[in-house]
Amino acid sequence: MRFSLAALLAIGLAGLQLLAVLAVVFSSYVTSERVLLEHARSLLSDVGTNTAEHSKGFLDPARGAAELAARLAQHKVVASDDPHQLELFLFQQLQITPQFSGLYFGGEDGSFVYVMRSDGPGPYRSKLITFPDGQRRVEFVWRNEDFSRVRDELDPTDTFDPRSRPWYERAKKSLTTIWTDPYIFFSSQQPGITLAAPVLEGSSNIKGVVGVDIEISNISEFLARLKIGKTGKALIINRNGDVIAHPEQSLIKIRDNQGTLRFVSIDEFGDPIARAAFSDPDKSVGFPVKEELFSEFTIGHRDYIADVLPVISEQLPWTIAVYAEQGDFIGEIKRNRAKNVWIAVMVATITGVAGLILANYIYQPVRAFAVRSALISQGEADPSEPLPRTYKELSQANESLVQQIVARKKAEREYGQTFNLSSRAMAQISSRTGRFIRVNAKLCQVTGYSSEELLSMRYTDLIAPQDKGKLTPLSELSDDTFAINNDMRILRKDGALINLSVNAILIRDQAGNPLHAVVTMDDITMVKAREQEIVRLNRDLSHLARGNTMGEMAAGLAHELNQPLASIAQNADTGLLVVGNAGNSAPELREILEEIEQQSLRAGEIIRALRGFISKDEIHISEFDLAELLEQSRLLVHAEAIEANVRIRSELPGDLPMVRANRIQIAQVLVNLLRNAIEAIAEENSPVREITIRGAARNGMIEVRIEDTGPGISPEINLFTKFETTKKTGMGLGLSICRSMIDANGGKMWLDETYTRGARFCFTVPAAGGDGSKIAPKAV
């Protein structure tokens, strides 16, 4: 029979509760009132500690705001020499921090920017001391919540100099954040304190000081809300004996003989109990105390206890003092103590015996459950073994726990196998130190290091020196979506430089704390090399295309102009013969004809020189893989093919021999023919949009055929003729240049007129080692 664990635990806890009551009452009886007073003192100490922590927590934002403003000004994020920008920054800080009364910046040159809360005419008032053109200018500006101006005025009589203020002098002297002693603010008539932080240039030169005024009346309000018995109260005393916070705020301020508000010292304080507890007429103790000090005193036949704590910190030399009447804590306890002791003894005796027996009975199945779960988790027990006799709640919990353990171990095993056997380089990296925690065999293969060597290294040790600046330390990346996806170069153990594609994700625990980063790396060195090769090919093709176009144009123009120039020279010579035979012709006519003849001959010489200059171009022959060159050429026109929705298929045989020719010129021919085919298919809007490239080796030559599904070539077009084109914007040089380059490399180029599905252009180039490769290259 199984019993409910909840019912058994309820009975057991009731017995333990009675035992606890018995222990408390019995201890109270034995130790008598002194123990109860120690408990009361502990409560007073806790109240003092809480008050100290509340005070520090109340003032900490001021330190953060002042030091933030100082750092921003120091690092020129907020320009301290730009009063308007600095005023806006202080204004925004004041808006988001209600306990601040005002924020300001005093410069070493005497400038001053002060933003404070105001009763009117706007909710905020700024005081600006600047020196435009070397003249001192004091301006007051009232602003709304949106920083718009409400009113402004100048005060030429103002002589305020921040450099003469105590907060500025102390911050400048110490070169660190300082707190002033509390004082009564002149404007708000409320108690407050000032925090100042220096703005440095370099390590010791001061540029100015940022200050924050904080009203500390909220601390008195906090003290008023504390419940310390029925009559207890807490107050804060400064190191000079002034009471700066008390539940009754009206008691802490008094006007001196000059009418100025100041704090009341503890010796003249209006709370007689606090004065009796903490004043020190003979100055034998003084404030602040060095260690926690308890005391007991009597006023009007009432007994009190008091506790004085050491100062909160060196920056805040405040003493927390707490007092309360003893009867608030022990009066009722004294009256009921004797009666409760006898009742508790009888109840505790009965429940104690029963509780011991019951606890042992309850614990036995729980212990068996814990042992079995631990053994299963360590792999020393089979989860399928029968469950030991236990409670129904534990039985269900055990079943769920075992399932979770089995699922976790399965997931760990699968992850481990995936990690170790992955074809990608993988690693686990500490997000705090950047060290490798775990690496797989592929990463060792890629980097050339053993797993032991990698586990002693940081991931930054692998990165090439010139790429280290591109990475952010993992410890600085704490966003939940943290991920790295970069290409970087690393140095292998043998010194080789390789390119990797790196992807990393940050793994966190259930609390959101970073555990480690999982990094995968792929070797993309060959991909990068192919990309660079394609870039170089594209650059060379552009250069070659420009040169060939100019050469073809110049050669064509030279050929076309040579005949009319020869006719001009011949006609001029005939004219000279006629003039000579006439005998009575004007001398000027002979001079004109001679000038025509000379200039035509000179033009012919210029054209012959131009053709000779063009014919001097030589091509560089090398052996290369036509299939690889075709793939690179295809990538160069890939964007155009995608835009035109044209598919390019390559059907080159795998045993095609190497080509011996000028690689750049053959690439230019391929690119030109592919682009022509794409444009023809796009303009005709053919239903079948496909280009097929075929090749075969014949008689020492390699024949390449480029077929398209476009409209074909009109028989009226004289292909391969200069300045003949079917394009509206074409020059008619593309096919002419292609044929010239193929001829120059010892091949031929033609249009296959038997092809009817579109157009088929064919050309041949010499194969390496064949008879065609022995053909001497010609000038293009």
Side-chain angles (χ1 to χ4, degrees):
M1 179 180 179
R2 294 180 179 178
F3 298 95
S4 171
L5 179 61
L8 294 176
L9 287 178
I11 297 173
L13 291 176
L16 292 177
Q17 183 177 8
L18 290 175
L19 289 175
V21 172
L22 174 63
V24 171
V25 175
F26 186 77
S27 175
S28 175
Y29 182 79
V30 173
T31 57
S32 191
E33 297 179 0
R34 181 52 54 189
V35 175
L36 297 177
L37 289 177
E38 289 295 331
H39 177 65
R41 291 173 178 176
S42 176
L43 292 177
L44 295 186
S45 180
D46 289 343
V47 169
T49 302
N50 291 337
T51 303
E53 291 300 323
H54 175 81
S55 301
K56 289 194 294 183
F58 179 80
L59 297 175
D60 276 347
R63 174 183 290 273
E67 293 179 345
L68 172 62
R71 287 195 298 269
L72 293 177
Q74 182 172 330
H75 294 290
K76 303 185 183 305
V77 176
V78 174
S80 57
D81 52 358
D82 185 346
H84 180 75
Q85 182 181 358
L86 186 57
E87 180 193 8
L88 176 60
F89 173 76
L90 298 179
F91 177 88
Q92 293 170 341
Q93 291 295 309
L94 188 61
Q95 279 188 315
I96 63 177
T97 316
Q99 64 263 45
F100 291 0
S101 175
L103 291 93
Y104 43 87
F105 171 84
E108 186 66 9
D109 58 355
S111 61
F112 187 64
V113 178
Y114 180 32
V115 181
M116 63 173 290
R117 305 184 192 277
S118 174
D119 295 330
Y124 298 93
R125 189 192 76 172
S126 299
K127 178 178 181 179
L128 307 175
I129 301 178
T130 56
F131 296 89
D133 302 326
Q135 300 295 322
R136 177 183 171 91
R137 185 173 186 266
V138 181
E139 181 183 16
F140 292 91
V141 181
W142 284 265
R143 296 187 182 275
N144 283 323
E145 294 286 345
D146 59 356
F147 199 63
S148 60
R149 286 183 176 237
V150 178
R151 175 184 168 188
D152 57 78
E153 63 183 33
L154 299 178
D155 185 0
T157 63
D158 187 280
T159 60
F160 178 84
D161 188 343
R163 295 169 295 183
S164 64
R165 307 303 297 169
W167 52 267
Y168 190 101
E169 294 173 347
R170 286 184 58 194
K172 179 178 180 180
K173 181 178 180 181
S174 63
L175 295 181
T176 186
T177 303
I178 59 97
W179 295 91
T180 65
D181 283 331
Y183 59 99
I184 305 299
F185 288 156
F186 176 79
S187 55
S188 64
Q189 305 293 302
Q190 295 295 326
I193 189 172
T194 296
L195 179 142
V199 178
L200 303 178
E201 285 185 334
S203 59
S204 58
N205 294 327
I206 188 167
K207 187 177 181 180
V209 175
V210 174
V212 181
D213 287 341
I214 310 167
E215 287 189 3
I216 59 175
S217 56
N218 285 346
I219 299 179
S220 294
E221 295 173 2
F222 169 78
L223 297 180
R225 294 193 298 269
L226 289 177
K227 298 299 181 183
I228 312 172
K230 296 180 180 179
T231 60
K233 292 181 181 179
L235 60 154
I236 300 179
I237 305 173
N238 194 22
R239 58 185 169 188
N240 60 2
D242 288 345
V243 180
I244 61 174
H246 187 270
E248 299 180 29
Q249 296 189 47
S250 60
L251 299 179
I252 65 175
K253 295 183 290 186
I254 191 174
R255 291 191 181 274
D256 58 16
N257 296 332
Q258 288 76 30
T260 303
L261 278 176
R262 64 173 178 84
F263 287 110
V264 178
S265 69
I266 187 62
D267 295 334
E268 57 184 352
F269 194 55
D271 182 346
I273 302 175
R275 188 170 63 251
F278 308 118
S279 65
D280 188 20
D282 58 358
K283 308 299 181 183
S284 59
V285 178
F287 289 97
V289 299
K290 296 181 179 180
E291 59 184 8
E292 189 172 7
L293 181 64
F294 290 99
S295 61
E296 298 179 17
F297 59 97
T298 301
I299 298 179
H301 306 289
R302 291 180 180 269
D303 296 329
Y304 292 88
I305 54 175
D307 185 19
V308 180
L309 275 67
V311 294
I312 297 176
S313 65
E314 293 183 3
Q315 292 79 16
L316 295 176
W318 299 353
T319 297
I320 309 299
V322 187
Y323 71 84
E325 186 177 355
Q326 289 186 8
D328 292 348
F329 301 97
I330 64 175
E332 190 65 26
I333 294 176
K334 285 182 178 180
R335 288 187 292 271
N336 295 330
R337 181 177 57 196
K339 179 175 61 178
N340 291 339
V341 165
W342 293 111
I343 296 174
V345 166
M346 290 185 292
V347 174
T349 301
I350 299 172
T351 57
V353 175
L356 289 174
I357 299 173
L358 190 58
N360 184 62
Y361 180 80
I362 295 174
Y363 182 70
Q364 287 180 353
V366 175
R367 179 172 53 195
F369 169 79
V371 171
R372 184 172 184 271
S373 300
L375 292 176
I376 293 175
S377 178
Q378 297 170 6
E380 300 178 5
D382 187 357
S384 61
E385 292 180 358
L387 184 69
R389 180 177 178 273
T390 184
Y391 311 106
K392 58 182 181 181
E393 293 90 349
L394 282 182
S395 178
Q396 296 172 358
N398 182 77
E399 183 178 353
S400 299
L401 180 59
V402 169
Q403 291 176 355
Q404 292 294 327
I405 293 173
V406 172
R408 177 177 60 83
K409 295 183 73 65
K410 179 182 177 182
E412 290 176 352
R413 182 171 60 256
E414 292 175 350
Y415 172 75
Q417 292 176 349
T418 302
F419 185 93
N420 294 326
L421 302 178
S422 174
S423 60
R424 304 177 69 186
M426 296 185 68
Q428 290 181 358
I429 300 176
S430 170
S431 61
R432 183 176 59 85
T433 64
R435 288 192 175 275
F436 288 102
I437 302 173
R438 184 180 181 183
V439 297
N440 67 352
K442 184 64 177 179
L443 181 60
C444 297
Q445 177 185 343
V446 170
T447 61
Y449 291 96
S450 66
S451 59
E452 292 76 13
E453 290 173 324
L454 287 174
L455 292 178
S456 66
M457 300 168 62
R458 292 181 173 86
Y459 80 104
T460 52
D461 297 336
L462 296 176
I463 301 171
Q466 56 269 39
D467 287 354
K468 289 187 177 181
K470 299 178 182 179
L471 295 180
T472 302
L474 297 178
S475 59
E476 297 182 8
L477 299 175
S478 56
D479 187 67
D480 288 340
T481 59
F482 158 64
I484 294 177
N485 192 354
N486 285 331
D487 292 347
M488 67 178 65
R489 293 176 294 176
I490 71 166
L491 287 173
R492 284 174 48 87
K493 185 178 180 180
D494 57 10
L497 190 66
I498 62 174
N499 290 275
L500 294 180
S501 175
V502 180
N503 180 269
I505 58 174
L506 190 63
I507 306 300
R508 300 177 179 274
D509 60 17
Q510 293 181 348
N513 300 315
L515 294 176
H516 58 264
V518 176
V519 181
T520 58
M521 304 179 186
D522 295 301
D523 190 348
I524 58 172
T525 304
M526 296 302 297
V527 175
K528 288 288 185 181
R530 286 195 294 270
E531 291 177 354
Q532 292 298 323
E533 184 65 27
I534 292 173
V535 171
R536 286 195 296 271
L537 177 61
N538 189 34
R539 185 173 59 249
D540 293 341
L541 287 179
S542 299
H543 177 72
L544 179 63
R546 290 194 298 270
N548 285 336
T549 301
M550 294 300 296
E552 287 292 321
M553 289 182 64
L557 290 174
H559 176 75
E560 297 295 332
L561 292 176
N562 203 32
Q563 291 182 356
L565 287 174
S567 298
I568 293 171
Q570 185 177 359
N571 290 335
D573 186 62
T574 302
L576 287 172
L577 181 62
V578 172
V579 170
N581 293 333
N584 58 352
S585 300
E588 291 84 358
L589 179 59
R590 175 176 290 275
E591 292 178 1
I592 292 171
L593 293 174
E594 288 176 349
E595 180 70 19
I596 292 173
E597 181 182 24
Q598 291 174 0
Q599 293 300 327
S600 62
L601 293 175
R602 181 171 178 269
E605 292 174 355
I606 292 173
I607 292 172
R608 284 192 294 277
L610 177 60
R611 294 184 65 182
F613 173 75
I614 295 170
S615 64
K616 290 180 182 178
D617 291 342
E618 297 181 355
I619 60 177
H620 300 283
I621 302 301
S622 63
E623 294 183 4
F624 57 89
D625 184 358
L626 182 63
E628 179 183 355
L629 181 64
L630 175 60
E631 176 62 19
Q632 294 176 356
S633 302
R634 187 186 66 80
L635 290 174
L636 289 176
V637 300
H638 178 70
E640 302 169 40
I642 291 297
E643 183 178 357
N645 194 24
V646 176
R647 178 189 177 196
I648 301 177
R649 295 192 302 117
S650 175
E651 296 185 359
L652 295 181
D655 58 349
L656 203 64
M658 301 285 284
V659 171
R660 180 172 174 78
N662 182 275
R663 187 174 185 273
I664 302 302
Q665 290 183 350
I666 302 304
Q668 181 68 59
V669 172
L670 289 170
V671 170
N672 283 354
L673 293 178
L674 290 173
R675 282 178 174 159
N676 286 345
I678 292 171
E679 292 173 0
I681 294 173
E683 291 178 1
E684 189 65 19
N685 199 19
S686 302
V688 180
R689 312 172 75 83
E690 187 174 83
I691 300 173
T692 305
I693 306 164
R694 310 179 194 274
R698 295 189 179 92
N699 302 323
M701 304 291 287
I702 295 178
E703 179 180 321
V704 180
R705 292 178 293 174
I706 299 179
E707 305 168 356
D708 65 59
T709 58
I713 304 298
S714 173
E716 299 177 358
I717 300 299
N718 295 321
L719 291 178
F720 309 113
T721 301
K722 295 182 179 67
F723 310 115
E724 285 285 339
T725 179
T726 60
K727 302 177 184 178
K728 296 180 180 179
T729 59
M731 297 179 62
L733 294 174
L735 290 175
S736 174
I737 292 173
C738 290
R739 171 174 277 184
S740 298
M741 287 190 288
I742 293 298
D743 291 344
N745 283 277
K748 295 182 179 180
M749 183 174 182
W750 68 95
L751 172 69
D752 187 354
E753 297 180 354
T754 65
Y755 187 73
T756 58
R757 295 183 57 217
R760 175 192 284 164
F761 284 90
C762 309
F763 66 88
T764 60
V765 286
D771 294 337
S773 65
K774 299 177 182 179
I775 299 174
K778 304 175 185 178
V780 178

